[in-house]
Amino acid sequence: TRKFRSRSQYEFSTPQIGAYQFVKNGLYKKICSIPSQDAIKNGYEICSSNENIINDEETSKINKVLYDFDIDAKIAEAVTFSRATGGAVLFLKLDDGEPIENPLNTNRLLKLYGVKVYNASEVLPQTYYSDYSDVNFGEVEKYIINDEKTGNSFIVHSSRLLIFDGLTTTGLVRATRNGWGGMVFDDVKDELSRYDSANRLSISILSRLSQGILKIEGLKQAVNAGEGEKMTKYLEYTDSMRSIMNTLLLDGTDNFDLKNMTLSGYKDIIEQQEVALSAVSQIPITILFGRSPAGMNSTGDADLETYYSLVKRIQTNDMQKNLESLIKIITKCKDYKIAENDYHISFNEVKLLNAKEKAEIENKKADSLVKIANAVETLHELGAVDNDEIAEYLDTRTDFPINHKYGGGDK
């Protein structure tokens, strides 16, 4: 029969290790934080269910609450910790007249008075939903939060948290991490270790770039004769005079030489480690190390497209759902007097277009409109459509910069 390993036989990094590496290793911190910041930096629009931007008083009220509590920065921080430790939560301090270990009472909800970010190493599940008929069966009902800053611990109901669940991973890994997901360290730890080792080796080589060689007449015989202590004193005296007077004093028969080592090839080793780390982190060398990619005809455009895809996944999988949940809670707060609606988040483009790219897009749109207009005109001339049908068609489009509210036989 086949034998399966127990969980203890697997070696997986814990959220605590991820948190430690985030503090200790500046490069790991950069890998975790840059995509999160780029995902939110160009902003987003609050839209209705049909994704049309809502420019009204309700949107202004929502944006004011988001601004007052610096939600964009806290969302980016939560995603960063989620990537670094396998998960994170936003604890919403809400005034609903209930203890925080009780479910959120939306009927008595008045206002939001605070938001705090905690990483997975600070958050442990306490109880789970156990009712088979409950849609949340098997999910965490209550968490214990250990605030590392204050040292306080408290129990909070999951309905008062926005949960960032970490990267996609297996159930076995989640079981060893109290239910939390994958973290970036799982993917980059080997390459990060090799990169650190290569840099330490380079520094060690630099310290030995020049090697002094002192030839002493009769050294071997003196050591064999038990006069090694005298030789040591001679070397110490010679070295001290060099430090004090910048002059090397030698016996007439002794000789000193300085050999220089070459660093040829070490630069290539470092660059190859940077390429490997860039590959596993999905962050281009241009962004991660601030240098252009090496190689023939290398522009880095493909790497940037891969990176933009990563940022868009973060927006869709991590940020959008939690932002929409938060807005839904805000609209239920009676003190804000915001009309409830089916609000959605539409992120602005990750990559900002330059003037040339914008002009090219506008030209393509204009060419497309001209073709549509010519087709409509041809159909009208053939008698296939009348003015009312043309007006009805144009009313379904928002990209024609004309007033299409006409009809009744007028052309």
Side-chain angles (χ1 to χ4, degrees), residues 33 128 145 158 161 177-178 191 268 280 286 315 354 358 374 379 383 401 409:
S33 60
Y128 294 83
I145 295 181
S158 58
L161 302 174
R177 294 176 179 169
N178 295 308
E191 296 303 335
D268 295 334
V280 295
T286 308
Q315 290 176 338
N354 57 39
K358 289 180 180 178
N374 290 337
L379 291 172

Side-chain angles (χ1 to χ4, degrees), residues 348-359:
N348 296 326
E349 284 295 324
V350 175
K351 179 185 177 183
L352 295 179
L353 303 177
N354 57 39
K356 180 181 177 181
E357 290 171 328
K358 289 180 180 178

Side-chain angles (χ1 to χ4, degrees), residues 24-32 192 195-196 277 288-289:
K24 174 189 174 184
N25 193 308
L27 191 54
Y28 181 61
K29 183 176 183 178
K30 191 174 183 180
I31 291 171
C32 293
L192 202 59
Y195 180 73
D196 289 342
L277 194 54
L288 190 57
F289 295 101

Side-chain angles (χ1 to χ4, degrees), residues 238-401:
T238 301
D239 191 56
S240 65
M241 294 304 296
R242 183 183 181 190
S243 300
I244 296 171
M245 303 176 61
N246 197 27
T247 302
L248 194 61
L249 300 179
L250 299 175
D251 187 85
T253 58
D254 295 341
N255 181 46
F256 178 80
D257 192 13
L258 193 65
K259 298 291 185 181
N260 292 323
M261 298 176 63
T262 177
L263 289 177
S264 176
Y266 285 102
K267 179 176 178 290
D268 295 334
I269 293 175
I270 296 295
E271 288 185 350
Q272 288 304 312
Q273 291 300 324
E274 290 178 352
V275 170
L277 194 54
S278 172
V280 295
S281 67
Q282 300 183 59
I283 302 178
I285 290 176
T286 308
I287 297 174
L288 190 57
F289 295 101
R291 70 172 179 85
S292 300
M296 294 180 61
N297 301 320
S298 182
T299 62
D301 289 345
D303 294 339
L304 285 173
E305 289 302 320
T306 300
Y307 175 68
Y308 292 143
S309 297
L310 167 65
V311 173
K312 289 178 180 178
R313 287 198 302 273
I314 290 174
Q315 290 176 338
T316 303
N317 300 337
D318 298 321
M319 293 184 171
Q320 184 173 355
K321 180 181 177 181
N322 281 308
L323 273 170
E324 290 173 355
S325 297
L326 176 58
I327 290 174
K328 186 175 182 179
I329 291 173
I330 289 172
T331 60
K332 291 181 179 295
C333 293
K334 294 180 175 59
D335 285 5
Y336 299 137
K337 298 178 181 178
I338 301 172
E340 293 188 37
N341 201 335
D342 188 15
Y343 294 106
H344 291 270
I345 293 296
S346 177
F347 283 93
N348 296 326
E349 284 295 324
V350 175
K351 179 185 177 183
L352 295 179
L353 303 177
N354 57 39
K356 180 181 177 181
E357 290 171 328
K358 289 180 180 178
E360 290 175 351
I361 291 175
E362 291 301 322
N363 287 336
K364 289 180 180 179
K365 288 182 178 178
D367 291 341
S368 177
L369 293 178
V370 168
K371 291 178 181 178
I372 293 174
N374 290 337
V376 170
E377 183 180 7
T378 300
L379 291 172
H380 183 267
E381 291 175 351
L382 294 173
V385 294
D386 59 24
N387 290 343
D388 289 334
E389 290 173 317
I390 294 174
E392 184 179 352
Y393 167 71
L394 293 179
D395 282 339
T396 65
R397 304 185 63 98
T398 60
D399 48 359
F400 274 91

